[in-house]
Each structure stands twice: as structure tokens, then as C-alpha cells.
Amino acid sequence: MKNTFTEGEGFAPQRSLFNALGLTKEEMERPLVGIVSSHSEIVPGHMNLDKVVEAVKMGVAMAGGTPIVFPAIAVCDGIAMGHVGMKYSLVTRDLIADSTECMAIAHQFDALVMVPNCDKNVPGLLMAAARINVPTVFVSGGPMLAGRVKGKKTSLSSMFEAVGSFAAGKISEEELAEFENKTCPTCGSCSGMYTANSMNCLTEVLGMGLKGNGTIPAVYSERLRLAKHAGMQVMELLEKNIRPKDIMTEKAFENALAVDMALGCSTNSMLHLPAIAHAAGVDLDLDKANAISAKTPNLCHLAPAGHTYIEELNEAGGVYAVMNELNKKGLLHTDLMTVTGKTVAENIEGCINRNPEVIRPIDHPYSETGGIAVLKGNLAPDTGVVKRSAVAPEMLKMEGPARVFDCEEDAIKAIKGGEIHAGDVVVIRYEGPKGGPGMREMLNPTSAIMGMGLGSSVALITDGRFSGASRGACIGHISPEAAVGGPIALVEEGDIISIDIEANALNLKVSDEEMEERRKNWKPREPKVTTGYLARYASMVTSGNRGAVLEINQEK
């Protein structure tokens, strides 16, 4: 195959610029394969991507292509957590998609290999892949190995909870320092089933990554071999003209939801999957999530839901082993094309479960229903989302008085100040996509609740969202959000909130008449940010239940 610029005098100026790049005539005559590198020196999950990219380049060249690297940005959510920087996390998903679309189409690449790893970087590049729609393969940088403190494996959620334990006087300053120094021992995306690893695993399920994309640890040489194979495989896709929209179909997203439920992925998948589907021209209604969850068992309790980590999922057989378990009950569409050039059925054949303690057999699940639940009720008319597999059994159904805060910082101060008590329902609002703006993650308050010993007695509800590292009765993505006058804006201190996760219900026990009176007195808040990218983002972003996608014209 030949790229756009190979022949004809009309493209001679472009060829002269390729000459300036040092490309030979032979290189110009081969397909041009763009390699989107998310490497940086500020994100632990991306510090090794230079090596992964070099391996991809070698794979592309070995298979007869000309690899050319260009960059993508990424924010480390852990570093951005708990301060103004978190407003700039979710918003980068669209920057990544937009800038990659611009680079790929402006330079007319014949094919792409995406090299992401962390939270918004993976969905952003999947959105871009759908928009650009040239043959594309994903290969991530891989997960971090778990840390060890006092003989027990740890992850980033352990670190944040240790801060809460220290605030409560449960551990010493020396013990806190031990967590600080040992929790994150290697490069890679944080070691539990947090958002980055959730999305890298779901990339495999969608059919856009090769086997092991989501689970092979970053420090393993196997990761480099995978990258070389990704580079080679994109050339086969180019030869067969297999494109992202051929792969990311409605049925592929249904598979992703099913495996999401089995793995117990981050609730952020309920933001990203609809957004990726939107880019691929697929309407993914979150009501479908509960229908799939109702028939899909939860097979994994990876951190923070349990005490196993991505490295153990990898050893147990990885994502394909989970898919093979689900297929025993016919819970997947198996006739779908993938970047392997084979169908789902061909990919997962013979992928056995090597550790039933890490991946429960299909007839012995943790629960008969999936790891994520979408809740509705008069407090969340559109949606609220909770990681059901990470909720203590006694918290699946509860009622309690609302403790209302209009920003994350005020809530953290109250939690650490001992003002929150067993049975309370903490409400954090005006932190949604528009209200934040940027829909901040609430890992600090959820970790503080856990560290204070309140994880089995206090719930947290927000129109913001949660880190994949959050655990407990944490209900996010409340839609409509407070900034547009959603019911969460009308909650008052002491109102009784009813949570029934098993029934997918979230309600405020206040009469319709009282709610109508409160609505008459409610006034929109002045925007928190009025300049720069965040202001533009706030003017265009939609609700969390729609994936927080950007639209130019929105209904007011």
C-alpha cells in the first residue's frame, strides 16, 4: 500500500518536507504509520513509554511500514488529586482526542498505533481512533507492580487511606512515611483496578488492543514484545483495511459493559464508554448497564474492592480468561472482529482461568450481578453511579441525614475534623462537569472516610466523580448536576437520603411540594472559572450520564 504523498507532482512540496525530516525515498514509499506517544517525565504510568514506543517503531519497520512518532498529553490523576489541578483531569480527554485527530488527519497517516496508559489518555485516544478511523492498534504502558508494607501488598488507595488513618491518630508519622516510600514501587499505571487499568483492560474487550494490553506489568520485558507485535499487527490491519469503526460496534460496547461488570472496573468507565461510543457513532444508554449487570456475575475483587492486584489478574490468565468464563454462559458476542484479525471467539479459545481465587469461576461468583450499578430516583432523575463490588454489604441499603457541602475542600475539612458521624450521608455538589468545572475526583474525601474508620457507616454522594481507587458507598455522576439545577442542588442539611443499591434507587425523602418550593428559590451560581480552557469546557460539556461529551449547541 502507498501513502497519500508518494506519487504525483502535486505533492512534490510535501515530499520536500519529508526530505527535510531525513526520510528516504524508500521510507516515503511505505505506509506512514503514526505512533501516538504519551511519554512524559511527570506521570509514573508514562515514564516508560519511550521504551514501548521504540518497540512499536521496530515492529512497524519489521512489517514494512515507516513509523513516525508524535505526542499526546496526559495528567496524572494521583498528582492532580485534592487541589485545583483535578479540574484539569477529565477535560484533557477531549484535548487528547482533538489534538490527535488534528495531527493524524493533517499529516495523512495511513495507520496509527496508540501508546497511552493513564486515566483520560486511554479513552481520549480511543475517541480519536474512532473519529480518524484508519487502521489502529493500542498498546498501553502497563500496570505498576503492587507495593509492600509490613508484608502486605499495597496500592495508591492504601496510601490515601493511610493519610486518613494518620489524621485519626491510628498510625504514627513513621508508619505513614513507610507507606509513602513503599506504596508505588515501579513505573506503570497504579496497581489496582483503578480507571487507567480499567480502561486498558476494556480496550482489549472492545477489540482495540492485543492480548495482555491491560494486564502485563509495565516492568516486564513481555510488555516490549507486546509493543513490537502491536507495531507488526497494525500493518496487517492496513493490508486488510480493518478500521476502528469496524471493531467498535454496538455489540463490542455491550461486551465491554459485561466484562466491566465481571471485573468490577472503575465507575469512570461509565463516563468513558458512552463518550467513546459517541465518537464511534454508537448510542450507549446507561440504562443498558443495569440490564447487562443484572445477568452478569462479578468475578473479580481487585484492589480497592479486594486484596488482589492487576499483576495477579495477569498471572491468572488476564482479560481473555475473564471473557472465557463469561462465555460459558453465553454472556458475550463472540463473532466480532478485533485488531488481532480474528474474532472474539478465536481470541479467547483456550484461555483458561489459572487462579479461581483471583478470577472466580462463573458458577461461583462474588455476586450474581455486576460490579457497577446505575442508580435513579428523585435525587438522581437521570443517573448516579456506584461501584457496587466495593461497597460493604451493610451499606447496600441505608438511610441517613444529609451533610451538605458545596465543594470538596469543605467536606474534607469536616471529615478530618471529626464532624461526620456514623449514619451520615455526605453530599458534595457543584463539582460536576459544568459546576466544577471539570468533575473532580473525590478520592481524598472517600479515603478520609475510610481512614477515619467510617467506611462501613457513611455514604458519599456527589455530582462529581470518584477515582477508581475509591471504595465504599460512593455514588457519583449525579445527573442533572447542581450547576444546572438538578435536585442535588436542593438538598438541605439534615434531609433524609435513602440509598438502595440492590434496587438501583437513590431518593431524597422530601415531598414533591417542598422540592417545588425550594426550586422556586434556587438561583444558578456564578461560574467558578470565567477564562481559559475550563470556561470554554464548561460552556460546552454535557451531563455525566451522557459521558460528559462536548456539544456546541445544548438545550438550556
Side-chain angles (χ1 to χ4, degrees):
M1 298 184 71
K2 295 182 179 180
N3 67 64
T4 303
F5 306 115
T6 300
E7 296 178 348
E9 65 277 5
F11 286 116
Q14 285 85 348
R15 292 195 296 274
S16 74
L17 292 168
F18 284 133
N19 285 329
L21 289 171
L23 293 182
T24 65
K25 183 175 183 293
E26 291 80 5
E27 286 174 303
M28 282 188 254
E29 289 175 346
R30 296 174 179 175
L32 296 182
V33 179
I35 301 173
V36 186
S37 171
S38 306
H39 173 255
S40 77
E41 295 182 349
I42 189 60
V43 183
H46 291 212
M47 62 184 287
N48 65 318
L49 295 190
D50 54 343
K51 295 178 176 60
V52 176
V53 165
E54 286 301 314
V56 172
K57 287 175 66 177
M58 184 170 291
V60 169
M62 285 191 295
T66 297
I68 300 179
V69 179
F70 65 90
I73 64 167
V75 164
C76 175
D77 277 21
I79 294 174
M81 196 71 65
H83 56 88
V84 68
M86 182 46 67
K87 293 180 184 290
Y88 286 87
S89 171
L90 179 60
V91 304
T92 64
R93 186 186 70 184
D94 294 273
L95 282 173
I96 291 161
D98 292 348
S99 60
T100 303
E101 175 190 347
C102 291
M103 288 292 288
I105 295 177
H107 299 101
Q108 289 291 287
F109 288 104
D110 297 291
L112 296 167
V113 180
M114 306 291 197
V115 188
N117 211 29
C118 287
D119 294 33
K120 312 311 166 301
N121 185 237
V122 181
L125 289 180
L126 283 165
M127 290 163 66
R131 293 184 197 172
I132 300 160
N133 203 35
V134 298
T136 303
V137 175
F138 276 67
V139 56
S140 76
M144 184 184 291
L145 294 179
R148 287 184 181 272
V149 175
K150 300 187 186 305
K152 293 183 178 180
K153 287 188 175 182
T154 60
S155 57
L156 187 64
S157 53
S158 313
M159 181 71 250
F160 276 90
E161 290 176 19
V163 173
S165 295
F166 176 72
K170 295 184 176 183
I171 63 173
S172 67
E173 188 172 349
E174 291 75 19
E175 289 172 308
L176 180 62
E178 186 176 7
F179 274 96
E180 183 177 336
N181 289 313
K182 295 181 178 179
T183 292
C184 297
T186 71
C187 63
S189 48
C190 296
S191 57
M193 188 52 83
Y194 308 149
T195 306
N197 292 327
S198 294
M199 294 312 301
N200 282 321
C201 288
L202 295 180
T203 297
E204 278 189 64
V205 183
L206 282 171
M208 292 299 295
L210 302 180
K211 180 183 178 183
N213 177 73
T215 60
I216 297 169
V219 295
Y220 283 13
S221 297
E222 185 182 357
R223 174 65 51 180
L224 300 179
R225 297 198 297 273
L226 179 72
K228 291 175 185 175
H229 283 129
M232 290 184 268
Q233 188 59 31
V234 79
M235 298 302 295
E236 180 180 323
L237 295 183
L238 184 58
E239 182 67 30
K240 295 179 178 178
N241 195 29
I242 298 173
R243 299 169 182 250
K245 286 186 178 179
D246 300 325
I247 294 170
M248 290 194 285
T249 62
E250 183 175 2
K251 288 183 177 180
F253 284 100
E254 290 175 359
N255 281 354
L257 285 173
V259 179
D260 190 332
M261 298 304 167
L263 286 171
C265 290
S266 164
T267 52
N268 281 314
S269 63
M270 295 296 104
L271 275 178
H272 299 321
L273 288 176
I276 299 161
H278 179 75
V282 174
D283 183 17
L284 188 63
D285 189 330
L286 285 186
D287 286 340
K288 185 174 286 186
N290 277 345
I292 290 174
S293 179
K295 61 183 181 181
T296 307
N298 177 226
L299 305 182
C300 299
H301 268 192
L302 297 148
H307 301 289
T308 52
Y309 296 81
I310 301 297
E311 62 198 66
E312 289 155 314
L313 176 60
N314 187 62
E315 292 163 6
V319 173
Y320 280 11
V322 175
M323 294 175 74
N324 205 23
E325 286 290 339
L326 293 179
N327 196 44
K328 291 176 182 178
K329 287 194 174 180
L331 296 173
L332 296 177
H333 305 289
T334 60
D335 58 345
L336 311 181
M337 181 51 61
T338 71
V339 294
T340 66
K342 300 176 181 178
T343 64
V344 171
E346 291 172 303
N347 287 342
I348 66 176
E349 184 179 2
C351 294
I352 62 171
N353 179 1
R354 296 189 178 92
N355 189 340
E357 296 301 314
V358 176
I359 305 171
R360 286 278 185 93
I362 192 74
D363 55 1
H364 181 54
Y366 282 102
S367 67
E368 293 293 340
T369 53
I372 290 178
V374 176
L375 312 185
K376 288 191 177 183
N378 68 354
L379 186 52
D382 291 337
T383 54
V385 178
V386 64
K387 189 170 184 174
R388 175 165 45 196
S389 59
V391 179
E394 59 269 32
M395 294 292 287
L396 291 172
K397 187 173 183 178
M398 70 166 290
E399 288 187 0
R403 305 298 309 279
V404 183
F405 304 94
D406 286 350
C407 67
E408 176 189 6
E409 289 81 0
D410 289 349
I412 292 171
K413 183 178 178 182
I415 295 165
K416 291 186 175 179
E419 298 175 28
I420 304 301
H421 308 289
D424 286 346
V425 179
V426 175
V427 176
I428 305 178
R429 61 193 181 187
Y430 294 100
E431 291 285 9
K434 283 185 180 293
M439 204 177 187
R440 288 195 287 181
E441 288 183 343
M442 302 294 156
L443 180 56
N444 271 5
T446 60
S447 298
I449 287 170
M450 286 293 173
M452 298 288 283
L454 297 170
S456 60
S457 60
V458 169
L460 195 157
I461 296 173
T462 182
D463 54 6
R465 60 195 177 91
F466 294 106
S467 165
S470 291
R471 62 190 178 101
C474 306
I475 303 168
H477 310 192
I478 299 298
S479 300
E481 63 175 289
V484 298
I488 191 173
L490 309 179
V491 179
E492 295 182 359
E493 187 80 7
D495 285 349
I496 301 300
I497 293 176
S498 172
I499 300 168
D500 191 341
I501 294 172
E502 292 178 330
N504 301 318
L506 179 63
N507 287 290
L508 185 67
K509 302 191 81 171
V510 174
S511 69
D512 293 343
E513 293 77 13
E514 173 63 19
M515 290 294 282
E516 189 56 38
E517 279 301 311
R518 293 182 187 182
R519 181 167 299 286
K520 290 177 183 177
N521 295 321
W522 179 82
K523 294 180 180 179
R525 302 288 179 92
E526 288 296 319
K528 293 178 184 177
V529 180
T530 57
T531 60
Y533 180 64
L534 285 183
R536 297 199 303 275
Y537 180 87
S539 72
M540 297 171 67
V541 71
T542 60
S543 174
N545 70 302
R546 295 186 57 199
V549 297
L550 301 186
E551 289 186 350
I552 296 172
N553 298 311
Q554 298 179 50
E555 294 182 7
K556 300 298 183 183

